[in-house]
Amino acid sequence: MCKKIMIFTFSLLFTFGTVVSQNINKVEPLFWWAGMKNPELQLMVYGEGISDYRPVIDSPGVYLKNYVTVESPNYLILYLDISLADPGSFDINFIKGKKKIAYSYELKKRRYSTADIQGYDSSDVLYLIMPDRFANGDSSNDQIPMSTEYTVDRNKPGARHGGDLKGIEDRLDYFVDLGVTAIWLNPVLENDGKGGFYHGYFSTDMYHVDRRLGSNEDYLRLIDKAHKKGLRVVMDMIFNHIGANHPWALDIPSKDWFNVSPSKRGNHAKAIFYDNYASKYDSDVMKYAGFGIDLNQANPHVGKYLIQNSIWWIEHARIDAIRQDTYPYSDFDMMREWNIQVMNEYPQFNIVGEIWTNYTIGTAWWQKGCKLNLGKDTELKSVMDFTLMGIASDVFNDKTTTEGQMNKIYDHLCYDFVYPDIKNVLRFLDNHDTDRFLRSDPKDLDGYKQGVAFLLTIPGTPQLYYGHEFLMNGTKDRPGGDGNIRLDVPGGWEGDPQNWFIREGRSSMQNEAWDYLQNLLKWRKGNKVISDGQMKHFMPQMGVYVYERYLDNKSVIVFINGSNRGVELPLDRYAESLKGRTQGMDVVTKQTVMLDNFLKLAPKEVLIVDMN
């Protein structure tokens, strides 16, 4: 077996002439910090037969509250009170009769401030990256031996392709130049499973970056450099499930460590949380997602482990936010407590949950402070607008009707009132789990421009998916499945015949798309009318959707022609937004736009007009 298992240093002591040959495979968390607001520390000890040993701690400021054995003899769970502990190392003695093992554990000194952990807000634009498919900055880590077989082959959609953290680090200036302000990386933790699990969603070690992407040190360096360039970093986490090669799956701690569905399958009935008529049976089945080995977060030891793990990464790596995968499937009470504890330590932090529902009301129910939630508040700061994603491509790329489909967008935004905090709703056109916004190679940029302009000017926090600026396209229903929407970026690998990261390597249409997006991103950055302003919209007329963003005495008006024909739009019905003004500036071309009595719009044209 070539699987990496960190063997931590421990002391073999001679006690009453007996030599102890007992291994402690690892202790998690790897280390902790003195001075945390929550004084309780859980230590999970892994080692053959370790449950037969009694832990003893004799160190000033460190108090062993209790310890727990589970059904497997190879785990021991300690709970410490470190409220009075100073930074430094202390010994934990594991005693069995005359045998003793001494293990040295470190409490680090916290930084004096957490101000560098910024969170993100509606002034930001997130850029989602699948590390294995973005760029290969270090080919030496492509074929690292793991405990299971996998293939590195860029011609196979389901294989690993070799992208890594160094490839992302090398292109931090690219993100700054494009104009995004935060990068969200799909999971980077170890996924040691058969086939390679390039996407990262089946963790086998929650404290180590997958070595094929880099090391923990590489991850910390990437984050530090990103921060110095003004970029925030979002970490993707999965509390719901683990991979089949995780130590817990190979040696199950206890029968209640995992969820098992009564029906042997999941039902994905996420509405059961607010369904007045939901049966207990369906609710029990819902706890089982079926995406991997389902963790039972209601088990207090599992829940504590997961909470600590996320805080460890925040404190150690200085990430700014967490995107939590498959959010509704995890235990409600545990996830609520997680949000509370994280925000208690880091009040400026942000957590966004993947709430994949088809209805705005269902999504809003999950956001902190939602008045529709008549039970316990979720305490979840941010949610994701999958409903918008579901209609955006069809609406903006539609050229089949004279009236267009802008009424769908209008109707959707009418329901924004149910969100208690619209600024913390993540808006997006596509992501790593969905068809691309562009289903196929575009013949023109009409739909692309409308989608981008809309995304970057409505209330909420926008998120772009890597490659959107290059007109990447694809659907999951073709041969290749998910691989069709997770393509490599040409130029990210040495020897690529094309390099899309530079202007000379892109087509003229790609450059036009890239320039359009960059112009809007630069204009949006620091624009409080867009990030903080109010919104007023008008029912679509003649296929044209018009809305205003305004703050104090500043105003931006957006015109989107969803029709496949040119329109001469009467402006009298928009008087309350125009306020007598008869001209504005096109934020893209910087040209004057006359707004007298009528506005001429070409088929599928979008116009963003700064009225200031």
Side-chain angles (χ1 to χ4, degrees):
M1 296 274 287
C2 297
K3 176 177 171 63
K4 178 190 72 172
I5 299 179
M6 294 295 293
I7 306 297
F8 287 80
T9 303
F10 65 93
S11 301
L12 296 181
L13 302 179
F14 291 85
T15 306
F16 303 104
T18 302
V19 178
V20 179
S21 59
Q22 173 74 35
N23 280 339
I24 293 179
N25 293 335
K26 61 180 177 179
V27 175
E28 293 174 335
L30 308 183
F31 50 81
W32 201 246
W33 295 266
M36 301 296 283
K37 292 182 180 179
N38 185 345
E40 184 178 75
L41 172 62
Q42 178 203 74
L43 296 180
M44 188 155 189
V45 184
Y46 300 70
E48 184 178 354
I50 193 63
S51 68
D52 292 337
Y53 287 73
R54 176 174 60 88
V56 176
I57 298 175
D58 184 14
S59 179
V62 180
Y63 170 64
L64 177 62
K65 295 170 63 177
N66 67 299
Y67 65 95
V68 178
T69 61
V70 288
E71 292 166 17
S72 169
N74 304 319
Y75 301 95
L76 195 60
I77 305 172
L78 282 56
Y79 288 90
L80 314 182
D81 182 340
I82 58 171
S83 57
L84 301 178
D86 293 323
S89 298
F90 64 90
D91 284 343
I92 307 172
N93 293 313
F94 296 89
I95 299 172
K96 177 184 177 182
K98 296 181 178 181
K99 300 176 183 178
K100 182 169 73 172
I101 306 169
Y103 183 91
S104 181
Y105 192 82
E106 182 182 11
L107 291 176
K108 293 181 178 291
K109 182 179 180 179
R110 290 193 79 181
R111 296 192 191 184
Y112 70 93
S113 172
T114 60
D116 58 318
I117 300 172
Q118 304 171 38
Y120 71 78
D121 56 40
S122 57
S123 68
D124 288 300
V125 177
L126 279 59
Y127 186 91
L128 168 58
I129 303 168
M130 182 154 285
D132 182 68
R133 302 298 164 92
F134 190 72
N136 188 350
D138 181 6
S139 59
S140 68
N141 61 24
D142 291 356
Q143 289 279 5
I144 290 179
M146 306 295 281
S147 73
T148 54
E149 296 180 358
Y150 68 96
T151 302
V152 180
D153 187 343
R154 294 179 66 195
N155 294 313
K156 294 182 178 180
R160 297 190 75 93
H161 289 188
D164 50 34
L165 298 180
K166 186 64 167 61
I168 297 169
E169 179 187 329
D170 290 344
R171 286 159 180 83
L172 291 176
D173 287 333
Y174 169 81
F175 306 132
V176 174
D177 187 34
L178 180 60
V180 297
T181 61
I183 53 175
W184 156 22
L185 277 58
N186 288 125
V188 299
L189 300 183
E190 182 191 89
N191 270 233
D192 186 3
K194 187 175 182 180
F197 294 135
Y198 70 89
H199 47 70
Y201 283 95
F202 295 111
S203 302
T204 53
D205 186 331
M206 296 186 185
Y207 281 95
H208 288 94
V209 168
D210 195 297
R211 289 172 293 156
R212 293 161 293 189
L213 297 178
S215 64
N216 285 14
E217 291 72 24
D218 294 331
Y219 188 48
L220 268 62
R221 186 180 65 250
L222 167 63
I223 295 169
D224 182 60
K225 287 187 174 182
H227 284 167
K228 289 176 179 176
K229 293 181 181 294
L231 296 167
R232 304 178 184 191
V233 181
V234 181
M235 187 175 190
D236 206 328
M237 287 190 172
I238 312 100
F239 283 0
N240 177 72
H241 55 271
I242 56 175
N245 211 36
H246 189 286
W248 294 346
L250 298 175
D251 181 7
I252 299 174
S254 60
K255 61 178 177 295
D256 62 348
W257 210 259
F258 302 113
N259 287 323
V260 178
S261 170
S263 68
K264 309 303 180 184
R265 56 185 294 183
N267 59 16
H268 307 293
K270 294 181 280 290
I272 60 100
F273 291 95
Y274 42 84
D275 177 4
N276 287 340
Y277 312 123
S279 66
K280 182 180 183 302
Y281 178 85
D282 288 340
S283 298
D284 290 342
V285 173
M286 168 59 199
K287 296 176 184 177
Y288 177 79
F291 297 120
I293 309 297
D294 273 47
L295 290 172
N296 176 19
Q297 301 83 17
N299 179 312
H301 310 305
V302 176
K304 179 70 172 180
Y305 178 98
L306 295 172
I307 291 172
Q308 281 192 173
N309 176 255
S310 65
I311 290 175
W312 188 88
W313 280 109
I314 299 169
E315 187 73 18
H316 185 45
R318 319 306 282 185
I319 56 174
D320 298 291
I322 290 171
R323 178 265 186 184
Q324 184 63 242
D325 187 64
T326 52
Y327 193 96
Y329 296 93
S330 296
D331 181 73
F332 180 93
D333 289 332
M334 176 268 163
M335 298 299 279
R336 169 185 158 87
E337 181 63 24
W338 171 56
N339 281 281
I340 291 171
Q341 290 199 29
V342 169
M343 300 308 292
N344 184 46
E345 291 283 358
Y346 313 97
Q348 69 276 32
F349 201 71
N350 204 335
I351 296 173
V352 57
E354 184 196 27
I355 313 296
W356 195 333
T357 67
N358 296 322
Y359 303 99
T360 299
I361 292 175
T363 304
W365 186 91
W366 285 94
Q367 192 175 32
K368 179 180 179 179
C370 183
K371 294 180 180 179
L372 297 174
N373 184 347
L374 303 179
K376 293 181 182 177
D377 196 304
T378 66
E379 301 293 337
L380 175 63
K381 188 173 183 178
S382 296
V383 292
M384 301 174 69
D385 189 357
F386 276 90
T387 310
L388 173 62
M389 178 279 302
I391 64 175
S393 180
D394 289 342
V395 170
F396 294 121
N397 290 312
D398 175 39
K399 289 192 174 185
T400 63
T401 63
T402 56
E403 289 299 320
Q405 301 186 54
M406 287 298 143
N407 60 300
K408 293 181 180 179
I409 295 295
Y410 172 85
D411 289 344
H412 176 68
L413 293 187
C414 284
Y415 284 91
D416 278 1
F417 80 93
V418 298
Y419 290 113
D421 184 2
I422 193 61
K423 293 180 183 179
N424 277 305
V425 175
L426 195 68
R427 310 275 207 183
F428 58 103
L429 302 175
D430 53 10
N431 70 16
H432 62 286
D433 282 328
T434 73
D435 290 343
R436 286 274 184 176
F437 173 76
L438 297 174
R439 307 297 199 234
S440 58
D441 284 319
K443 301 297 186 294
D444 56 54
L445 295 180
D446 293 344
Y448 170 88
K449 289 182 177 181
Q450 287 195 352
V452 165
F454 176 77
L455 179 68
L456 297 181
T457 56
I458 60 172
T461 303
Q463 171 248 299
L464 296 165
Y465 184 33
Y466 85 95
H468 191 79
E469 69 273 33
F470 304 131
L471 304 178
M472 274 193 177
N473 55 85
T475 59
K476 301 168 61 173
D477 59 359
R478 297 179 304 170
D482 286 338
N484 298 322
I485 60 169
R486 303 169 180 174
L487 300 174
D488 297 349
V489 180
W493 278 253
E494 185 176 353
D496 281 354
Q498 289 179 293
N499 184 358
W500 287 1
F501 290 107
I502 60 174
R503 193 169 194 83
E504 296 76 17
R506 301 191 289 259
S507 69
S508 59
M509 183 181 286
Q510 285 178 314
N511 279 326
E512 183 182 351
W514 200 96
D515 292 345
Y516 184 82
L517 178 59
Q518 183 197 45
N519 281 334
L520 288 185
L521 288 169
K522 298 288 188 181
W523 167 78
R524 190 186 190 280
K525 189 174 184 180
N527 191 331
K528 290 190 176 296
V529 174
I530 303 302
S531 62
D532 298 337
Q534 299 297 310
M535 177 164 167
K536 178 186 295 180
H537 67 170
F538 299 81
M539 293 182 65
Q541 180 187 35
M542 303 171 67
V544 180
Y545 180 45
V546 179
Y547 57 94
E548 178 191 15
R549 301 299 310 280
Y550 59 95
L551 181 67
D552 299 329
N553 61 344
K554 296 182 178 181
S555 172
V556 172
I557 301 179
V558 181
F559 300 85
I560 305 178
N561 182 11
S563 173
N564 61 5
R565 65 181 180 181
V567 173
E568 190 169 291
L569 184 70
L571 297 177
D572 55 315
R573 70 192 294 256
Y574 310 113
E576 61 189 277
S577 290
L578 292 173
K579 294 182 172 63
R581 294 168 293 190
T582 58
Q583 66 181 42
M585 184 188 70
D586 183 330
V587 302
V588 175
T589 66
K590 311 306 179 187
Q591 295 180 349
T592 298
V593 178
M594 300 307 299
L595 299 166
D596 297 325
N597 298 314
F598 297 89
L599 176 65
K600 290 185 177 181
L601 293 169
K604 299 296 291 183
E605 182 178 5
V606 58
L607 195 60
I608 306 173
V609 184
D610 191 331
M611 302 300 296
N612 307 305

